[in-house]
Amino acid sequence: MMFLSLLMILTAASYVLADSNNICYEGYGCFTTLYPFTDRARPLAFLPQSPEIIGTKFFLYTRSNPTSGIEINSFNESRLIKNAKTRFIIHGLLHNGFKLWVNSMKDAILQYENSNVISVDWSNGNG
């Protein structure tokens, strides 16, 4: 219980809101802590931090660049292989886009098929 109270205090700084249950970010839409994100099975829900704080980054890997991901800011400007499948690898809480399992998964996908593999790193916002 003490951990949850501390977590609520630490995340309260990210609530720059007119309404404590909702927040909107231009280009991303609106988010809520109300149902269905809060219910008996999940009694606590927090609003997401701003995209500037989270700083999500996308790294493209292909068979021609299997070890050095190319950071892409726009899919229109990227080096995606046309007519190839695109696979996304998104890490979970407390991880980052460069964990061993992410690299292993990326390598296995590229070995299996000629595709675009995009590793998503949102580690600035996952704590």
Side-chain angles (χ1 to χ4, degrees):
M1 190 65 163
M2 188 167 155
F3 172 75
L4 292 176
S5 298
L6 179 61
L7 185 62
M8 288 170 35
I9 291 167
L10 292 175
T11 59
S14 67
Y15 290 176
V16 182
L17 308 169
D19 175 346
S20 63
N21 292 320
N22 302 289
I23 193 164
C24 298
Y25 295 113
E26 187 175 335
Y28 297 96
C30 296
F31 303 87
T32 184
T33 59
L34 303 176
Y35 183 83
F37 300 103
T38 306
D39 61 19
R40 291 173 64 178
R42 183 181 173 163
L44 290 175
F46 299 100
L47 294 169
Q49 293 174 312
S50 73
E52 293 79 23
I53 290 173
I54 295 174
T56 304
K57 295 181 181 176
F58 302 87
F59 296 92
L60 171 66
Y61 298 89
T62 63
R63 285 184 173 172
S64 63
N65 66 300
T67 57
S68 311
I70 300 167
E71 185 174 353
I72 53 177
N73 298 319
S74 167
F75 290 108
N76 296 331
E77 300 171 11
S78 72
R79 299 181 189 164
L80 290 172
I81 301 169
K82 307 248 186 296
N83 301 318
K85 292 180 179 178
T86 300
R87 309 290 187 181
F88 288 85
I89 303 173
I90 306 170
H91 64 83
L93 189 63
L94 304 178
H95 280 207
N96 62 55
F98 306 100
K99 290 294 235 182
L100 180 60
W101 71 265
V102 173
N103 286 320
S104 297
M105 184 178 288
K106 177 256 308 169
D107 292 342
I109 292 169
L110 290 176
Q111 185 176 25
Y112 177 74
E113 66 185 13
N114 187 23
S115 62
N116 303 295
V117 178
I118 298 176
S119 172
V120 180
D121 181 37
W122 59 278
S123 57
N124 288 345
N126 73 1

